[in-house]
Amino acid sequence: MTDSEAGDLSRSRAVLMGTWDYRDFDRVLAVQRSFDRMRSLLLDPVCGPWPEESLVTFENLATLGTAHVKLIEAFLDAKDVAFFYYVGHGIYDHRERLCLTVGDSRIDAPFTAATSLPFEAVRDAFRSSDATVKIAVLDCCSAGLATEEYGRLSATRVPPVAGAYLLMSSSAYEASWHQLEEVADAQTYFTRALVDTVREGIPGAPAGLTLDHLFRVVADRLVEDGRPEPGRRIADHAAGWVFARNNAPVGQPDPGADPADVYREAYRRETEEGVEQLPVIAATYRAAAEAGHAPSMNRLGQIDEGRVQARMQGSEPGPIDGAALLSATQWYTRASEAGDPVGPLHLGQLYEEQYGDGEQALYWNGLAARRGNSAAREQMTGLEQRLRLGIDVSRRPGGRDDADRTAGAATARGSERVRERAGETEAPRAPGTAQKPAAGGRGTVAGIAQEVLHQRWLADWDGSAPLATADCLDVLADACGGAFGEWSTLGEAEGARVLADFLAQLPRRSELARTARRYYEAVGPGNLRAHAARLPDRAGQPQPNHRTRE
């Protein structure tokens, strides 16, 4: 056996890497606490425990040194499990590769990969290992870049085919977050949720918790707290590897007992069983809901919307019919009336996206926000702007589930806000590079002059066109209403044209926010889509990063 239930992890190796003191970034003590908690967790009996000699730690490295070599050596010794964990700043180089920082890592593009540990190095160490199960847990910004082609944990040509599991705190080009130091025992949100879930256990789950069990609960905790949704990538049999013992009581509860126990049993079945059991799962939730359990009411609403089935099948939810929509609305209303903070958030989304009733959507989002739901506050701000401008709140380009939909298009926030709230100094970026001014041709006097101006403009961003593009996207999107305001009404191509038009003005970094506000004022609030329609398509234009509601 290779899992922690066997109690023997002597043939396994865990490499833990964390950095919190930097030359080019602010110090982040929350990272240090998260690193220490993860190390303590692996050494705890709940996870095996892992023997001290099976742990290799890269703790607050001042410089990369021989870390890459030691990583390879550690995983060469692993026969059962090769486990890698990183917490700290994640940045990307000019090739859009994820790089894990150390103390003297440099954010200027030519030196990023040379002064950090590229995730490709972790991938290569995994490929060199004979370990049966290979796991990487990344708690950093832009962690989703690890899922790119060059970021896979194993290669088919390396025998034997090994199971791989990649757990990420954020998507590509998205910031990860940590608690501010004003919070007692501040930590990164992702690691805190993961470690707390292992420590507490999962009621109704099996005696041995896999990473899949943990992922679902951690994802729910983070999303309900208004934090970025984590991601995962699984290959072969790694999803079945038992990471920890379940500290919560195990066993099927009596449906006639405590409604919270009934809910836990339904949730266990939802996470472990196939979609064919969904009617039984729904009936179990209903038993708890009828007894007044608000989270069960919300779950029934999610089932009516088709979201639970979509998650179980790994697909996107389809259109919702009238009867299901009415049932979901009723369940969310009952949860809201019971004082739940999540039910009114769901109601706000339904009234906005399904009923097209902005005033009702605003009311329910406001109620959720007053009950402490931070996700509702952001949605409410954007909705208020669209209502004020008279924009049709029900309209989404391409329909509710179309990939072109842009509700929440500006996934990245301005770099200053990221620094203030998360201690992150590297701006999350969107794919693509800044569009150069088109005036003049290559080799002409006008073309040469434009190129000189363009290079001078890029100097504000240390010569990094991707960083300039990302910063401009963040600030422009916020100036135009943000992730749920007027900017969210733009389709993929429309947003790209607006961004390219803004970039063509070569806005100075020191005046970026002011220039973005003036640009939006010149367009005219409420006219953004009409303005986008008048703009020409530009080859090679940057594409804003979009997301859709689950």
Side-chain angles (χ1 to χ4, degrees):
M1 296 178 68
T2 63
D3 58 48
S4 59
E5 285 185 308
D8 181 13
L9 290 163
S10 60
R11 287 162 39 93
S12 301
R13 294 293 181 271
V15 176
L16 308 182
M17 182 175 180
T19 308
W20 47 91
D21 288 325
Y22 292 95
R23 188 195 70 173
D24 287 351
F25 300 92
D26 293 334
R27 190 183 193 197
V28 188
L29 292 178
V31 169
Q32 181 180 11
R33 297 187 188 98
S34 295
F35 177 90
D36 291 340
R37 286 202 74 197
M38 179 60 72
R39 184 177 184 277
S40 297
L41 179 68
L42 294 186
L43 294 174
D44 191 283
V46 72
C47 283
W50 287 71
E52 286 269 10
E53 57 270 22
S54 291
L55 266 59
V56 177
T57 58
F58 299 151
E59 185 172 347
N60 206 29
L61 295 178
T63 190
L64 190 60
T66 61
H68 189 180
V69 174
K70 293 179 180 177
L71 175 66
I72 296 173
E73 291 174 345
F75 286 163
L76 283 176
D77 291 336
K79 304 303 178 185
D80 291 336
V81 180
F83 181 93
F84 179 82
Y85 166 79
Y86 175 78
V87 59
H89 286 302
I91 57 178
Y92 37 82
D93 65 5
H94 60 287
R95 291 170 56 190
E96 299 183 10
R97 298 177 302 179
L98 176 64
C99 296
L100 312 178
T101 58
V102 294
D104 65 354
S105 291
R106 297 175 61 173
I107 61 175
D108 38 335
F111 302 97
T112 297
T115 58
S116 307
L117 182 69
F119 186 75
E120 286 190 71
V122 181
R123 184 275 314 269
D124 289 339
F126 276 125
R127 289 178 57 189
S128 301
S129 174
D130 291 332
T132 305
V133 176
K134 301 168 183 179
I135 297 165
V137 178
L138 304 177
D139 189 357
C140 61
C141 291
S142 301
L145 284 175
T147 64
E148 300 296 332
E149 181 69 22
Y150 46 74
R152 293 181 179 176
L153 298 187
S154 62
T156 54
R157 66 176 182 271
V158 179
V161 175
Y165 201 109
L166 176 60
L167 192 57
M168 302 159 287
S169 65
S170 62
S171 62
Y173 313 115
E174 186 177 37
S176 288
W177 302 87
H178 69 75
Q179 296 173 306
L180 299 178
E181 281 303 310
E182 289 81 3
V183 177
D185 195 33
Q187 300 163 47
T188 62
Y189 283 102
F190 175 79
T191 295
R192 181 167 193 157
L194 177 60
V195 175
D196 284 350
T197 301
V198 174
R199 295 286 190 191
E200 296 163 8
I202 304 175
L209 297 177
T210 66
L211 289 174
D212 255 9
H213 291 126
L214 296 167
F215 172 80
R216 293 185 178 97
V217 177
V218 170
D220 282 351
R221 293 175 74 157
L222 291 172
V223 171
E224 290 184 5
D225 194 33
R227 304 302 164 188
E229 183 175 4
R232 60 180 171 176
R233 181 66 60 86
I234 311 167
D236 299 314
H237 57 270
W241 179 69
V242 174
F243 178 73
R245 185 184 68 243
N246 191 358
N247 277 340
V250 180
Q252 183 170 342
D254 180 1
D258 184 350
D261 290 339
V262 180
Y263 169 84
R264 295 184 188 106
E265 171 60 15
Y267 189 78
R268 181 192 68 79
R269 300 194 67 170
E270 178 188 326
T271 57
E272 294 180 9
E273 300 180 4
V275 69
E276 66 278 358
Q277 296 298 319
L278 190 54
V280 178
I281 294 169
T284 308
Y285 278 129
R286 189 171 291 107
E290 294 296 351
H293 191 253
S296 295
M297 299 173 192
N298 286 324
R299 219 66 189 165
L300 287 169
Q302 293 272 290
I303 291 174
D304 287 329
E305 282 199 79
R307 300 189 180 281
V308 171
Q309 178 173 337
R311 279 193 291 268
M312 295 173 80
Q313 295 176 322
S315 62
E316 292 294 324
I320 180 173
D321 62 35
L325 177 59
L326 177 60
S327 180
T329 304
Q330 290 172 340
W331 282 121
Y332 293 147
T333 302
R334 288 183 60 177
S336 301
E337 291 171 347
D340 183 70
V342 179
L345 172 65
H346 290 315
L347 271 178
Q349 291 168 330
L350 282 188
Y351 274 101
E352 177 183 348
E353 299 175 6
Q354 297 294 335
Y355 296 113
D357 189 335
E359 294 299 332
Q360 280 294 312
L362 195 62
Y363 168 79
W364 291 112
N365 279 321
L367 179 60
R370 290 192 297 275
R371 290 177 179 175
N373 192 312
S374 57
R377 293 192 185 96
E378 187 176 5
Q379 295 193 38
M380 184 174 62
T381 301
L383 179 57
E384 285 176 333
Q385 185 210 30
R386 285 184 281 128
L387 287 172
R388 186 172 62 253
L389 297 176
I391 298 174
D392 182 1
V393 298
S394 65
R395 192 185 190 286
R396 288 292 182 271
R400 177 166 175 254
D401 293 303
D402 193 289
D404 192 47
R405 175 184 162 193
T406 63
T411 57
R413 297 291 173 259
S415 57
E416 289 303 317
R417 189 185 308 177
V418 174
R419 289 191 191 94
E420 178 183 350
R421 293 179 59 187
E424 174 61 79
T425 60
E426 168 249 334
R429 60 174 287 186
T433 58
Q435 178 74 18
K436 297 183 181 180
R442 184 182 296 275
T444 67
V445 173
I448 293 173
Q450 289 287 17
E451 178 64 22
V452 170
L453 290 174
H454 182 75
Q455 293 303 322
R456 288 179 179 174
W457 174 70
L458 282 182
D460 265 354
W461 282 272
D462 300 322
S464 172
L467 180 58
T469 302
D471 276 358
C472 289
L473 170 62
D474 294 343
V475 176
L476 178 62
D478 280 344
C480 296
F484 298 96
E486 186 174 3
W487 182 266
S488 72
T489 66
L490 297 180
E492 183 90 18
E494 293 170 325
R497 288 197 297 270
V498 173
L499 177 58
D501 184 55
F502 180 70
L503 290 172
Q505 300 184 18
L506 302 181
R508 294 178 60 184
R509 191 174 193 178
S510 61
E511 299 179 355
L512 187 55
R514 181 185 306 172
T515 305
R517 287 195 300 270
R518 288 177 176 173
Y519 180 91
Y520 184 51
E521 291 169 359
V523 169
N527 299 320
L528 195 59
R529 294 196 71 225
H531 173 69
R534 293 192 295 267
L535 294 173
D537 289 321
R538 305 189 184 204
Q541 65 189 6
Q543 299 294 321
N545 194 15
H546 297 75
R547 67 171 181 240
T548 59
R549 180 171 77 93
E550 183 184 26

